[in-house]
Amino acid sequence: MEDEIKIIELKQNVFKENEVNADIIRKECKDAKQLMINVMSSPGSGKTTTLVRTIKDLEGFASVGVMECDIDADVDAYTIREAGARSIQLHTGGMCHMDAGMTKQGMLEMGTDGLDLIFIENVGNLVCPAEFDTGASVNLTILSVPEGDDKPAKYPLVYEVSDIVLVNKIDAMSVFDFDKDLCVSRIKELNPNAKIFFVSSKTGEGFEEWISYLKSILEDYKTQD
């Protein structure tokens, strides 16, 4: 009788190891009272522009670091640095997502001492980034108006795992056939607890509410046991 072929559930094992590493990162950040936010979206939704305005609006309140994650190029890291935040560019080697191991490597290379808030600007993609735990305590998705209000219906997982959704480019709302109420209902159907903010990173509209909320969770994070 021939020996049985061993079958290894590789995907499950990879995810399990990643979850363990992610939990370690979350504990380290909690102990250091540093809030880490994983930012996900399609390419071109305005992740970097939104982060630049957020960094500037937090000036004097929080020290910010950003890990810029792309398949190639380094333009975003320079843009973030010019905005006044610490930054590092991470090339994922063709992979379309960040995972906890990459996050840890980025933290070590960038240096996190003295930071209150760390953003991971994940690779522009609505599928893979939602599947991998980066170690962040908060997941945030940016949906831009030109993409359409049907994105939550087409790519549900990223909205299911997101604590916050920023609907960006609302200054273009009149140009596109975008149903604001339908967008909210689609997100809430997937994730009733998601916080939704309508903003324009170009004009600053809606940012006061978003920044106020961000400051409140930062203060809670700093004072937690």
Side-chain angles (χ1 to χ4, degrees):
M1 181 177 178
E2 294 184 3
D3 292 339
E4 292 184 1
I5 297 297
K6 183 182 289 186
I7 299 174
I8 300 174
E9 297 292 343
L10 182 59
K11 185 174 182 181
Q12 181 179 351
N13 289 347
V14 169
F15 280 149
K16 182 62 178 176
E17 181 181 356
N18 188 67
E19 288 167 5
V20 171
N21 291 332
D23 286 340
I24 292 172
I25 292 171
R26 265 187 291 274
K27 185 179 186 307
E28 289 176 351
C29 287
K30 182 178 180 180
D31 291 344
K33 297 191 181 301
Q34 295 171 325
L35 177 64
M36 185 182 291
I37 299 178
N38 176 36
V39 183
M40 300 175 285
S41 80
S42 300
S45 66
K47 288 193 299 296
T48 305
T49 309
T50 299
L51 287 176
V52 165
R53 186 173 284 275
T54 298
I55 290 163
K56 291 181 177 179
D57 286 353
L58 289 174
E59 187 176 358
F61 182 85
S63 178
V64 183
V66 181
M67 290 184 278
E68 285 288 341
C69 314
D70 288 295
I71 292 174
D72 208 339
D74 56 8
V75 292
D76 289 341
Y78 282 106
T79 300
I80 290 295
R81 186 177 298 174
E82 289 174 1
R86 194 180 306 176
S87 68
I88 190 170
Q89 186 72 50
L90 305 179
H91 288 167
T92 60
M95 297 181 70
C96 58
H97 66 271
M98 282 284 289
D99 61 24
M102 297 176 189
T103 298
K104 185 61 179 178
Q105 186 176 356
M107 292 171 68
L108 291 171
E109 293 294 333
M110 181 176 71
T112 59
D113 288 348
L115 295 180
D116 303 303
L117 175 61
I118 303 166
F119 285 108
I120 302 170
E121 185 176 337
N122 217 314
V123 180
N125 189 310
L126 288 177
V127 181
C128 301
E131 296 180 339
F132 288 83
D133 193 339
T134 61
S137 295
V138 174
N139 284 322
L140 182 155
T141 291
I142 298 177
L143 164 65
S144 66
V145 166
E147 294 175 70
D149 52 47
D150 59 352
K151 275 294 183 290
K154 291 181 177 180
Y155 301 92
L157 181 59
V158 72
Y159 297 94
E160 289 173 1
V161 302
S162 288
D163 307 284
I164 302 168
V165 177
L166 300 185
V167 182
N168 190 29
K169 304 186 182 182
I170 59 171
D171 53 294
M173 191 85 75
S174 62
V175 180
F176 295 91
D177 185 17
F178 188 94
D179 190 322
K180 183 177 178 180
D181 293 334
L182 181 57
C183 178
V184 170
S185 67
R186 281 171 166 161
I187 294 171
K188 288 293 187 180
E189 184 177 350
L190 295 167
N191 186 350
N193 297 319
K195 296 285 186 182
I196 304 172
F197 299 92
F198 286 82
V199 302
S200 169
S201 57
K202 180 179 179 180
T203 68
E205 184 180 356
F207 261 74
E208 184 175 352
E209 185 180 3
W210 154 235
I211 295 298
S212 176
Y213 177 74
L214 180 54
K215 285 181 176 179
S216 71
I217 60 175
L218 266 170
E219 288 176 338
D220 290 344
Y221 207 79
K222 288 178 182 178
T223 57
Q224 69 179 345
D225 294 330

